């Protein structure tokens, strides 16, 4: 499982992007969602194995639609409820025919859960306020919710950058401009710049894979005022690239999972995309080496925006139908059966930069592309002395200490 930002629930007026259908642990063993029975909502835990099954965890009264849930690696489910200007946190677990609940405490103000942390034994939340973002450890600590970091500016997003659950990327808005910063939770919330493509562009980190270093980025640097989906590699000497294949004319394209385990081969990582268009939502699959998006019909009842890749290149998509209240569809990537990047159309080696978004052998050439020219212009030069804006953050030093 790879770290991707979880957008806030759709019930919030200031949210951006579609809400995810369910939340999956970092190791892919459990999932949790807010299920519906008639007009009532209740938490539900899924066990994701060869034969997935669901366990309902209803409380004494129905939940509000905006309530958040997140599974832990031990099978318990954290629930976050908003009430009277506070966020209340509890752990839910099955107790025979009923549901056990362990109150954990509260955080003042409005907060949302961050994506599942690696390891699965801790849950973090981020407060939402114009002045500063606060990161709270709400499960897994010693004495209830603990404030672990305070970041000046309005914060959103949330992507884990390592397997230890130490480095957290947040999108921070200061003076009307959004940039991604890295927060070191082991150093009291020390903040380092992570992503700055140009001084005045809005740059957000959407997904990260700690194994390969592949990053999916949203930025308006190549087209001011219009966010484009791009990719880069942490520590690379190449700039962030914005392929035409990820442009999604007339559709919203949101990455939700990256194939893990592809150490040193980011070009071979498969990326799962949620595509929202006029006719509904479906799944796109892309990787840098192939240079095109494969569009897939999702299973009926897909919990849109939810899913995970296995290290072997199998995409698992959870779904719910009347006949299958807990289902997981599997789609093996075609290149996973042909030996990785070497057998795929448009494949490149680790030293061959991918600049275009389509493979010329499969898609007609763009008439705007001049012979011998790159398929699209490079983004504006970064402020950092090296050509990689991501290198502004000393992640190598932070990880090794």
């Amino acid at each position: 499982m790879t770290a991707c930002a979880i957008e806030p629930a759709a019930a919030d007026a200031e949210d951006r992007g579609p809400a995810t259908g369910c939340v999956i642990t970092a190791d892919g063993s459990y999932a949790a969602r807010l299920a519906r029975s008639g007009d009532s909502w209740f938490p539900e835990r899924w066990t994701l194995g060869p034969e997935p099954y669901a366990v309902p965890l209803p409380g004494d009264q129905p939940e509000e639609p905006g309530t958040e849930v997140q599974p832990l690696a031990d099978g318990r489910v954290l629930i976050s409820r908003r009430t009277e200007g506070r966020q209340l946190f509890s752990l839910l677990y099955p107790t025979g025919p009923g549901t056990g609940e362990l109150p954990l405490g509260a955080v003042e103000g409005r907060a949302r859960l961050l994506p599942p942390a690696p390891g699965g034994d801790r849950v973090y939340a981020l407060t939402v306020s114009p002045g500063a973002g606060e990161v709270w450890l709400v499960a897994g600590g010693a004495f209830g919710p603990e404030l672990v970091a305070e970041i000046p500016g309005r914060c959103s997003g949330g992507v884990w950058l390592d397997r230890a659950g130490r480095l957290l990327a947040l999108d921070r808005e200061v003076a009307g401009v959004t940039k991604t910063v890295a927060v070191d939770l082991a150093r009291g919330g020390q903040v380092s710049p992570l992503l700055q493509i140009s001084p005045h562009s809005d740059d957000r980190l959407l997904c990260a894979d700690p194994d390969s270093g592949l990053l999916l980025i949203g930025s308006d640097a190549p087209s001011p005022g219009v966010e484009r989906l791009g990719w880069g590699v942490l520590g690379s000497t190449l700039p962030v690239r914005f392929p035409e294949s990820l442009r999604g004319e007339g559709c919203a394209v949101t990455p939700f999972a990256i194939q893990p385990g592809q150490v040193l081969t980011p070009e071979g990582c498969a990326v799962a995309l949620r595509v929202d268009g006029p006719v509904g939502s479906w799944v796109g699959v892309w990787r840098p080496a192939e240079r095109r998006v494969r569009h897939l019909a999702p299973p009926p009842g897909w919990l849109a925006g939810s899913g995970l890749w296995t290290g072997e290149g199998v995409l698992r998509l959870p779904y719910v139908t009347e006949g299958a209240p807990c289902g997981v569809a599997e789609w093996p990537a075609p290149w996973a059966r042909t030996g990785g990047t070497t057998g795929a159309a448009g494949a490149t080696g680790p030293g061959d930069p991918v600049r275009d978004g389509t493979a010329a052998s499969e898609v007609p050439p763009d008439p705007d592309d001049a012979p011998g020219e790159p398929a699209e212009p490079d983004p504006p030069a970064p402020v950092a002395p090296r050509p990689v804006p991501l290198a502004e953050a000393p992640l190598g030093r932070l990880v090794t200490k």
Side-chain angles (χ1 to χ4, degrees):
M1 184 68 179
T2 257
C4 291
I6 294 181
E7 301 291 352
D12 297 332
E14 296 181 15
D15 298 337
R16 48 181 303 165
T20 54
C22 70
V23 181
I24 304 174
T25 55
D27 65 358
S29 57
Y30 291 101
R33 73 184 189 107
L34 208 61
R36 188 170 185 171
S37 176
D39 294 331
S40 300
W41 297 87
F42 63 92
E44 185 177 73
R45 186 198 72 192
W46 288 27
T47 298
L48 301 178
E51 298 181 2
Y53 65 91
V55 176
L57 297 171
D60 296 332
Q61 60 186 23
E63 305 293 346
E64 295 295 325
T67 298
E68 292 185 285
V69 292
Q70 187 171 128
L72 277 72
D74 61 7
R76 294 181 296 175
V77 173
L78 182 131
I79 186 166
S80 173
R81 303 181 177 104
R82 187 182 308 168
T83 177
E84 297 179 354
R86 297 188 303 164
Q87 207 76 31
L88 302 178
F89 304 97
S90 296
L91 286 175
L92 306 179
Y93 52 92
T95 57
T99 301
E101 180 167 343
L102 175 64
L104 298 177
V107 170
E108 295 294 329
R110 175 186 172 196
R112 65 174 180 84
L113 299 181
L114 288 167
D121 57 348
R122 295 187 169 201
V123 179
Y124 293 87
L126 175 69
T127 60
V128 181
S129 66
E134 295 177 340
V135 178
W136 290 81
L137 174 63
V138 297
F143 307 105
E146 302 175 19
L147 179 63
V148 294
E150 187 171 2
I151 304 95
R154 184 180 179 88
C155 295
S156 59
V159 175
W160 294 101
L161 298 173
D162 64 339
R163 294 293 181 193
R166 171 178 174 175
L167 296 177
L168 174 68
L170 293 174
D171 303 323
R172 180 176 65 173
E173 180 185 339
V174 177
V177 179
T178 300
K179 304 292 181 186
T180 303
V181 297
V183 182
D184 189 340
L185 300 182
R187 289 188 171 182
Q190 178 180 322
V191 177
S192 302
L194 178 65
L195 180 60
Q196 178 170 295
I197 299 178
S198 71
H200 304 293
S201 60
D202 289 322
D203 310 317
R204 300 190 302 134
L205 182 61
L206 306 178
C207 268
D209 175 55
D211 296 331
S212 63
L214 180 64
L215 307 176
L216 272 295
I217 294 156
S219 174
D220 64 354
S223 52
V226 178
E227 184 173 272
R228 293 275 303 273
L229 187 59
W231 70 281
V233 179
L234 197 60
S236 170
T237 57
L238 295 174
V240 174
R241 282 147 282 177
F242 297 87
E244 287 295 323
S245 59
L246 295 179
R247 195 155 191 168
E249 295 293 342
C251 299
V253 181
T254 309
F256 64 88
I258 303 178
Q259 180 185 0
Q262 309 303 299
V263 180
L264 302 179
T265 56
E267 301 90 348
C269 286
V271 179
L273 310 167
R274 171 177 172 167
V275 186
D276 293 281
V279 296
S281 301
W282 63 93
V283 181
V285 176
W286 173 86
R287 63 175 184 156
E290 199 179 32
R291 303 184 180 189
R292 67 167 177 144
V293 175
R294 296 172 182 261
H295 295 275
L296 311 176
W302 176 45
L303 300 178
S306 305
L308 74 154
W309 287 100
T310 68
E312 294 73 29
V314 177
L315 180 60
R316 307 193 75 202
L317 300 172
Y319 67 92
V320 173
T321 63
E322 185 175 349
C326 177
V328 178
E330 295 189 343
W331 184 82
W335 52 79
R337 300 190 296 267
T338 58
T341 62
T342 56
T348 63
D352 182 13
V354 180
R355 291 184 174 272
D356 194 9
T358 55
S361 60
E362 301 185 39
V363 181
D366 190 333
D368 295 332
D369 291 343
E373 295 286 336
E376 57 188 283
D378 287 339
V383 176
R386 293 177 59 190
V388 185
L390 302 175
E392 292 185 17
L395 291 181
R397 294 202 305 272
L398 295 178
V399 171
T400 55
K401 290 188 177 179

